[in-house]
Amino acid sequence: MLDFEKTFSSFLENKVYDNADNAIFLLVRAAYLAGWKAAGGEEPQEDKIINIFHQVAQSKGM
């Protein structure tokens, strides 16, 4: 039987997990931003790191 921690660690180091994690981050941020704007908040200026995540996700079809 394979060791759970070893295989789980291997999964977390996989590029597929990184892509999914980035997509989840962008989804949560977009939902939060929509709520923020709906509550009357001003749209923040994009951080460079957010732009990088967004560009990577778009290039991968996410």
Side-chain angles (χ1 to χ4, degrees):
M1 183 178 213
L2 294 175
D3 178 48
F4 173 82
E5 293 301 328
K6 183 178 177 182
T7 57
F8 184 62
S9 178
S10 181
F11 167 73
L12 293 177
E13 294 172 7
N14 190 308
K15 188 74 171 168
V16 172
Y17 174 78
D18 289 340
N19 291 340
D21 189 41
N22 289 341
I24 291 168
F25 172 82
L26 291 172
L27 220 153
V28 169
R29 187 179 189 285
Y32 189 87
L33 179 59
W36 179 265
K37 289 174 21 181
E42 292 183 23
E43 188 165 348
Q45 291 215 332
E46 293 282 329
D47 243 353
K48 287 183 180 182
I49 191 73
I50 301 302
N51 284 332
I52 291 169
F53 276 133
H54 186 67
Q55 289 169 1
V56 168
Q58 283 184 330
S59 72
K60 301 208 183 274
M62 293 179 190

